[in-house]
Amino acid sequence: MSAPLLSLRDVHKVFGDGDTATVAANGVDLDIHPGEIVGLVGESGSGKSTIANIVLGLVRPDAGTVTFDGVRLSDHLARNERAFRRQVQAVFQQPLLALDQRRRIGWSIAEPLVIHRIGTAEERRSRVVELLRAVGLSPDLADRLPRELSGGQLQRVNIARALTLEPRLLVCDEAVSALDVSVQAQVLDLFLEMQDRLGIAMLFISHNMAVVRHISDSVVVMYHGDVVESGPTDQVCDAPASPYARQLIGSWLEPVVDTLPESHE
Ligand code: ADP
Ligand code: MG
């Protein structure tokens, strides 16, 4: 197998101290290979967003190593943060909050190109059209304001914006959780299409096992900062090794499993 694109080894993070300390990551190991979608699942408060923020360089781990493309994350950030940010993009839960409300959609999608000084105004305009089409939206939406779009359309805009710089890794933290179930399935399929067409790797975080099962090549299960299970998706979902993971997975799958279309595998 190829070398991992992202590796976490024995990553620790504690928030607060003494009686109020919370162990958000307790020796987390996680690998994502190029083009792979790794699902990170766990109940609320299990440490998923902490891992997302550590990978994005927004939270510093107390101990352990994070490497991206064979280089330590701290070295990426110290030497060339801009180059790192180009390669690792994020999509979060609230599609409307992620966009500047006063700016037109086309402006928001082109903004990363402006920040990174890529292309002429003309080239940026045609890239916006291309990206809107790629995420299944009409290029006419470029002239609209965020409040004129539905939640599903807005999340597609956020995905287009995240794709603008052709990242190698997308960190998706509850990226479909705020969407209606029918729209969730469409947006999940868009992520799968982006993996297939562009070879983008993803850390796909959700508290919903059915969502993670639908999209992921492999799954990591967290509980109170610990990784309690990890492996290929079918193995983790169908034959989890630890009794605890079995219990969690069983309780998560049942209520929602019928609401998503069949996996594409
Ligand atoms: P999840 O995304 O799985 O819901 P989080 O990573 O957001 O979990 O949180 C894990 C634990 O760490 C929770 O108990 C949360 O309250 C705590 N936590 C997260 N971020 C902070 C912070 N900045 N300060 C204090 N506690 C935090
Ligand atoms: Mg979270």
Side-chain angles (χ1 to χ4, degrees):
M1 208 185 221
S2 54
L5 179 64
L6 178 81
S7 264
L8 275 67
R9 283 293 171 278
D10 203 21
V11 166
H12 291 258
K13 181 70 195 179
V14 177
F15 290 106
D17 47 31
D19 290 348
T20 60
T22 306
V23 180
N26 188 26
V28 171
D29 292 336
L30 187 152
D31 281 330
I32 304 181
H33 290 87
E36 184 186 24
I37 300 183
V38 174
L40 179 56
V41 68
E43 294 171 323
S44 176
S46 57
K48 306 180 300 294
S49 293
T50 299
I51 295 300
N53 290 331
I54 286 172
V55 169
L56 292 167
L58 304 174
V59 164
R60 268 179 74 98
D62 299 330
T65 55
V66 181
T67 54
F68 178 78
D69 205 15
V71 175
R72 280 194 184 225
L73 178 59
S74 50
D75 290 340
H76 278 293
L77 296 174
R79 286 182 206 153
N80 196 345
E81 181 172 347
R82 182 173 285 231
F84 173 75
R85 301 249 165 254
R86 234 184 119 156
Q87 298 185 75
V88 182
Q89 293 282 313
V91 179
F92 296 107
Q93 178 164 8
Q94 294 296 338
L96 189 59
L97 296 182
L99 297 167
D100 188 331
Q101 302 309 306
R102 299 156 306 171
R103 298 290 191 173
R104 296 187 190 281
I105 297 301
W107 186 94
S108 289
I109 295 175
E111 189 190 18
L113 296 173
V114 175
I115 291 170
H116 288 264
R117 299 195 189 92
I118 297 166
T120 61
E122 183 67 23
E123 283 161 351
R124 287 172 198 155
R125 262 193 297 276
S126 63
R127 181 88 176 114
V128 167
V129 169
E130 187 184 304
L131 284 161
L132 280 168
R133 288 213 176 99
V135 297
L137 293 175
S138 161
D140 298 344
L141 294 188
D143 296 325
R144 304 275 189 84
L145 289 167
R147 62 179 145 79
E148 299 176 275
L149 273 61
S150 70
Q153 286 176 322
L154 287 168
Q155 201 58 311
R156 286 175 191 270
V157 168
N158 284 311
I159 295 166
R161 185 179 149 89
L163 295 174
T164 308
L165 297 169
E166 300 177 356
R168 297 170 71 195
L169 177 67
L170 213 50
V171 176
C172 306
D173 191 357
E174 304 282 4
V176 300
S177 306
L179 304 175
D180 291 344
V181 169
S182 62
V183 182
Q184 278 189 14
Q186 292 165 15
V187 175
L188 287 178
D189 284 344
L190 175 62
F191 280 118
L192 283 168
E193 190 191 327
M194 295 304 135
Q195 175 197 32
D196 196 42
R197 271 183 33 204
L198 307 173
I200 299 179
M202 296 178 210
L203 176 59
F204 198 92
I205 295 174
S206 175
H207 65 281
N208 184 329
M209 191 67 204
V211 163
V212 163
R213 181 178 207 167
H214 182 73
I215 194 166
S216 307
D217 299 306
S218 60
V219 174
V220 174
V221 183
M222 282 183 79
Y223 177 73
H224 285 207
D226 284 312
V227 171
V228 293
E229 186 91 27
S230 65
T233 302
D234 288 347
Q235 185 188 309
V236 169
C237 294
D238 298 337
S242 77
Y244 181 71
R246 207 173 303 146
Q247 189 190 332
L248 282 182
I249 288 162
S251 66
W252 287 333
L253 272 179
E254 280 153 25
V256 280
V257 72
D258 292 335
T259 60
L260 285 167
E262 289 295 302
S263 165
H264 293 286
E265 281 144 348

